[in-house]
Amino acid sequence: METVNQLLDSIKDVGRDAMRGGYSRAAYSTPELELRHWFIEQAQQRGLDVETDRNGIIWAWWGKPQDGALVTGSHLDSVPGGGAFDGPLGIASALAAVDILKTRGLDSKNTGPHRSLAITVFPEEEGSRFGVACLGSRLLTGAIAVDKALNLRDVDGNTFADVARGNRLDPRRVGRDPEAIARIGDFVELHVEQGKGLGHGGPAIAVGSSILGHGRWKLSVSGQGNHAGTTLMADRADPMVAAAQIVVAVRDTAARQPDARATVGRLTPVPGGTNVIASRVDLWLDARHPDDAVTAQLISAIYGVAREIAASEGCAVTLTEESYSGTVHFDPGLSRRIGELLPGAPVLATGAGHDAGVLAGHVPSAMLFVRNPSGISHSPEEYVADEDTAAGAIALADVLEGLL
Ligand code: HGY
Ligand code: MN
Ligand code: MN
Ligand code: MN
């Protein structure tokens, strides 16, 4: 069986983005479907029984599907131009951990009469295609209204319902799945660290403590579309000029709030012609803070400044919340047991959202982080040293063995 590094190496060319660099593996796009197929093959090679549930979550069972199982998983989709590890590291490590447990003499009969093990792959964790992060785990837990989810659209106008149907899911069946939730006795997600908590030297693996509250909002600035050559500067209501000032105001407002993070990572002018003054500019705001009330204040402050800027440019602006997840603390009992299984592992909070965070409100949930020396993520520069990926697979095997 391949090691975790060999498993990662075997998918290193899937979904490479020549224009952006890194990987673009949007949910249910060809590259992500190719990775789902890769995972299913790898799981079946290990004798795991694979099923895909009504929300498109893949479950690979070691032992019979049962309530209260031990579950580990992550995602295979990426942000546009993302790194090689965000998501796939958790999946490859889980496959490698099964191999390690088998070499230690555990097999499906020996995973204890009371407990099976499952590896799960959650779709649309990044929310890069339909705009809502952790869409799969939110549907599983009922954290998103089904009609809102079904009507989410990608940039080509395809609804999630269309894409689900095209991938053999029945839109009438997506949504909260109590039977599936009951099968998760404990959930552990291994993930590349996103940030520099583990730095250089010292332990390569940390145990997660909490996830920063985070949300996504859409600001739409409307002005007067017009001809770039025939419209005098004094006669313009240019939403792009307002949007540019709003982006800076987002940075300035967040910079004044300790520990706040606010980002405009995506901006779309409409219609988007070089010789056209845009009629509208949509900006997507990602804002995060440990205190949900502070995030709310931050958004209110940003919207206030945006309205002033828009008015000064003869434009108007609207704000709509697309998704929000409050700050989450992982299960203290499970995290303590994991800490006992990984002596000396530091405890780290994370500013990144994860399916483990969505599940934390429903089942005992915990995370492991594997050192990323630069801390850079959501970038082609994301990196984990081979010895640290190997250490992560062993750590996951130790944790799974201890929890079985
Ligand atoms: O956006 C996030 O925090 C996660 O990577 N989906
Ligand atoms: Mn991730
Ligand atoms: Mn991510
Ligand atoms: Mn995640």
Side-chain angles (χ1 to χ4, degrees):
M1 286 298 176
E2 301 95 323
T3 65
V4 58
N5 288 312
Q6 289 167 332
L7 285 164
L8 287 169
D9 193 57
S10 70
I11 57 172
K12 72 178 184 319
D13 294 326
V14 178
R16 278 195 185 283
D17 189 321
M19 193 268 286
R20 296 182 178 101
Y23 295 91
S24 292
R25 298 160 168 170
Y28 298 107
S29 67
T30 303
E32 200 249 0
L33 291 173
E34 194 179 324
L35 289 186
R36 288 165 79 90
H37 178 72
W38 162 81
F39 169 72
I40 290 168
E41 270 194 344
Q42 289 291 337
Q44 290 172 336
Q45 282 172 19
R46 287 163 174 79
L48 307 187
D49 295 322
V50 179
E51 60 186 15
T52 300
D53 72 13
R54 67 172 79 153
N55 290 306
I57 300 165
I58 304 173
W59 298 68
W61 285 94
W62 190 15
K64 64 182 184 314
Q66 64 183 191
D67 288 359
L70 175 57
V71 182
T72 183
S74 194
H75 60 97
L76 292 170
D77 65 302
S78 77
V79 295
F85 301 92
D86 181 352
L89 179 64
I91 300 299
S93 301
L95 291 166
V98 166
D99 296 342
I100 293 166
L101 292 177
K102 287 188 175 203
T103 58
R104 292 179 185 176
L106 270 94
D107 61 32
S108 56
K109 290 187 290 301
N110 292 353
T111 51
H114 62 294
R115 199 158 215 204
S116 296
L117 174 68
I119 304 174
T120 49
V121 177
F122 290 96
E124 186 64 334
E125 189 275 347
E126 295 292 2
S128 298
R129 182 164 184 180
F130 296 104
V132 173
C134 299
L135 184 60
S137 52
R138 286 174 192 256
L139 282 168
L140 169 70
T141 57
I144 184 171
V146 170
D147 55 347
K148 174 177 177 182
L150 291 176
N151 291 303
L152 292 171
R153 287 184 184 275
D154 65 14
V155 288
D156 300 321
N158 304 300
T159 63
F160 173 63
D162 295 338
V163 172
R165 204 175 288 113
N167 285 280
R168 293 189 301 283
L169 299 180
D170 178 351
R172 293 164 302 177
R173 298 193 63 236
V174 302
R176 180 168 162 66
D177 189 344
E179 291 75 35
I181 294 170
R183 287 186 168 173
I184 307 175
D186 288 300
F187 181 77
V188 182
E189 178 169 3
L190 179 143
H191 202 280
V192 59
E193 186 197 358
Q194 297 161 309
K196 281 192 281 192
L198 286 169
H200 291 276
I205 314 299
V207 181
S209 56
S210 63
I211 291 184
L212 218 49
H214 57 284
R216 298 182 184 190
W217 290 261
K218 179 178 172 184
L219 285 155
S220 276
V221 189
S222 52
Q224 177 57 58
N226 213 325
H227 192 298
T230 57
T231 314
L232 299 180
M233 297 312 284
D235 297 339
R236 295 181 178 208
D238 184 346
M240 189 68 105
V241 174
Q245 295 171 62
I246 290 169
V247 172
V248 175
V250 164
R251 188 275 308 271
D252 294 348
T253 310
R256 286 193 293 273
Q257 177 64 44
D259 213 7
R261 303 113 203 251
T263 313
V264 175
R266 185 176 154 216
L267 178 148
T268 305
V270 174
T274 303
N275 57 351
V276 177
I277 301 169
S279 55
R280 191 182 87 234
V281 176
D282 293 333
L283 307 93
W284 281 267
L285 169 63
D286 176 310
R288 311 189 188 204
H289 190 275
D291 180 336
D292 298 331
V294 171
T295 308
Q297 288 156 13
L298 185 68
I299 295 305
S300 166
I302 287 171
Y303 190 29
V305 172
R307 280 201 301 270
E308 286 168 17
I309 290 169
S312 72
E313 296 294 341
C315 297
V317 63
T318 59
L319 172 93
T320 43
E321 179 178 294
E322 298 212 324
S323 64
Y324 188 73
S325 303
T327 291
V328 163
H329 295 277
F330 290 116
D331 185 90
L334 177 59
S335 301
R336 188 173 44 254
R337 283 167 65 199
I338 289 174
E340 289 157 5
L341 294 164
L342 299 177
V347 175
L348 278 184
T350 179
H354 298 280
D355 294 302
V358 174
L359 294 177
H362 304 268
V363 298
S365 175
M367 287 196 78
L368 297 180
F369 296 114
V370 181
R371 180 181 17 244
N372 166 353
S374 71
I376 293 173
S377 183
H378 284 187
S379 158
E381 296 169 57
E382 184 183 72
Y383 173 71
V384 181
D386 282 1
E387 60 271 20
D388 290 344
T389 46
I394 292 167
L396 183 59
D398 292 346
V399 166
L400 297 178
E401 187 175 16
L403 295 175
L404 278 175

